[in-house]
Amino acid sequence: MLTAVVLLAFAFPFLWMVLASFKTQAQIMSTKSFLFFAPTGQNYVNVFNQYAFMKFIVNSFIVAIGSTVGSLILGLPAAYAIARYRLQGLGLVILVARIIPGITFLIPWFIIFSKIGLIDTYASLILSHMLVGLPFIIWVMISFFEAPPTEIEEAGLIDGCTRSQVFLRIILPISGPGVITSSSLSFIFSWNNFMFSIILAGDKTKTRRSPYSTSCPTPRSTGARSWRPPASLRFRC
């Protein structure tokens, strides 16, 4: 019974969002039409017609996947080197980079990318998002690479593998759960990161915008009475 109550408490916000996405704004504000109402699909039509929803989603996928793949390519070998060669100093640097808030780097990134002409490009967004994903992947994967015994690697070297082949053919498959976990969380962090996008992105590379950002229409800018974005646009804030 207690489990059902807890699950209902956690599921209620999602249930409310799903139901609200099929309501008019008058129905959303009315307590009498929480469960019983005449559904409408106009909110979803507005999402695709007024907000260029698919464009922002595609841009978000490009940036999130690009930053995750780039962080994996650089982070996995770095984490393996720190774990196997006990590079405690480098590990401390990675930890400090993980602790420092990303907003600290926002102005330097903007100045650098402005000088080299990378504003409003996927490269600038991917590199800035890697600032968050790369230290995270390294820090998570260090413990996974420390777990396998060194005898496994020595056996691979005796069989004729090079150090890189040992890493690719033996250590990575063993550490597969860690790779999946760290890459999934890195993707989620990149997907939810709106701070860099609102400064570094332009018309070409806008990612999925927040419904509460300054880019949302207002009554003054639209001249309409109903300006609040529909609930169908609010699954990612």
Side-chain angles (χ1 to χ4, degrees):
M1 182 64 181
L2 179 60
T3 303
V5 173
V6 173
L7 289 176
L8 180 61
F10 279 98
F12 176 79
F14 299 98
L15 175 63
W16 185 91
M17 285 192 297
V18 172
L19 292 177
S21 69
F22 293 98
K23 297 179 180 180
T24 63
Q25 295 200 20
Q27 291 172 333
I28 292 176
M29 302 302 296
S30 174
T31 57
K32 298 180 180 180
S33 58
F34 177 71
L35 291 177
F36 304 99
F37 58 93
T40 176
Q42 187 61 39
N43 292 329
Y44 289 93
V45 175
N46 293 339
V47 164
F48 290 98
N49 291 341
Q50 298 180 14
Y51 295 97
F53 186 78
M54 290 306 300
K55 176 183 177 181
F56 301 142
I57 287 291
V58 171
N59 288 342
S60 294
F61 270 111
I62 292 174
V63 174
I65 293 174
S67 63
T68 301
V69 171
S71 298
L72 287 174
I73 293 174
L74 298 177
L76 293 179
Y80 177 71
I82 294 173
R84 275 293 172 257
Y85 298 104
R86 305 297 178 182
L87 304 177
Q88 302 299 332
L90 182 56
L92 180 61
V93 172
I94 298 300
L95 178 60
V96 172
R98 182 75 184 95
I99 293 175
I100 296 176
I103 195 173
T104 306
F105 303 95
L106 187 56
I107 294 179
W109 270 135
F110 180 79
I111 295 174
I112 293 173
F113 290 145
S114 296
K115 294 292 185 181
I116 60 179
L118 286 182
I119 296 295
D120 193 17
T121 63
Y122 293 119
S124 63
L125 291 177
I126 290 174
L127 289 174
S128 61
H129 285 206
M130 285 178 62
L131 189 66
V132 178
L134 180 58
F136 176 79
I137 286 178
I138 293 176
W139 192 250
V140 170
M141 290 307 302
I142 287 176
S143 59
F144 282 94
F145 289 146
E146 288 177 340
T150 56
E151 289 78 8
I152 296 178
E153 300 179 31
E154 293 171 355
L157 294 173
I158 292 174
D159 288 339
C161 292
T162 63
R163 178 63 67 175
S164 59
Q165 289 175 333
V166 168
F167 173 68
L168 294 174
R169 296 182 179 182
I170 299 176
I171 300 302
L172 276 185
I174 293 176
S175 306
V179 175
I180 295 174
T181 300
S182 60
S183 60
S184 299
L185 291 175
S186 178
F187 180 90
I188 293 173
F189 290 156
S190 177
W191 182 272
N192 290 333
N193 192 324
F194 188 69
M195 176 180 59
F196 290 114
S197 299
I198 198 172
I199 300 299
L200 301 176
D203 293 335
K204 298 179 182 178
T205 56
K206 284 180 181 177
T207 56
R208 167 69 177 84
R209 67 179 67 181
S210 170
Y212 304 105
S213 69
T214 56
S215 59
C216 287
T218 63
R220 182 175 299 177
S221 64
T222 61
R225 297 180 62 185
S226 177
W227 63 273
R228 188 169 59 86
S232 54
L233 190 58
R234 300 185 178 190
F235 287 102
R236 179 191 161 206
C237 297

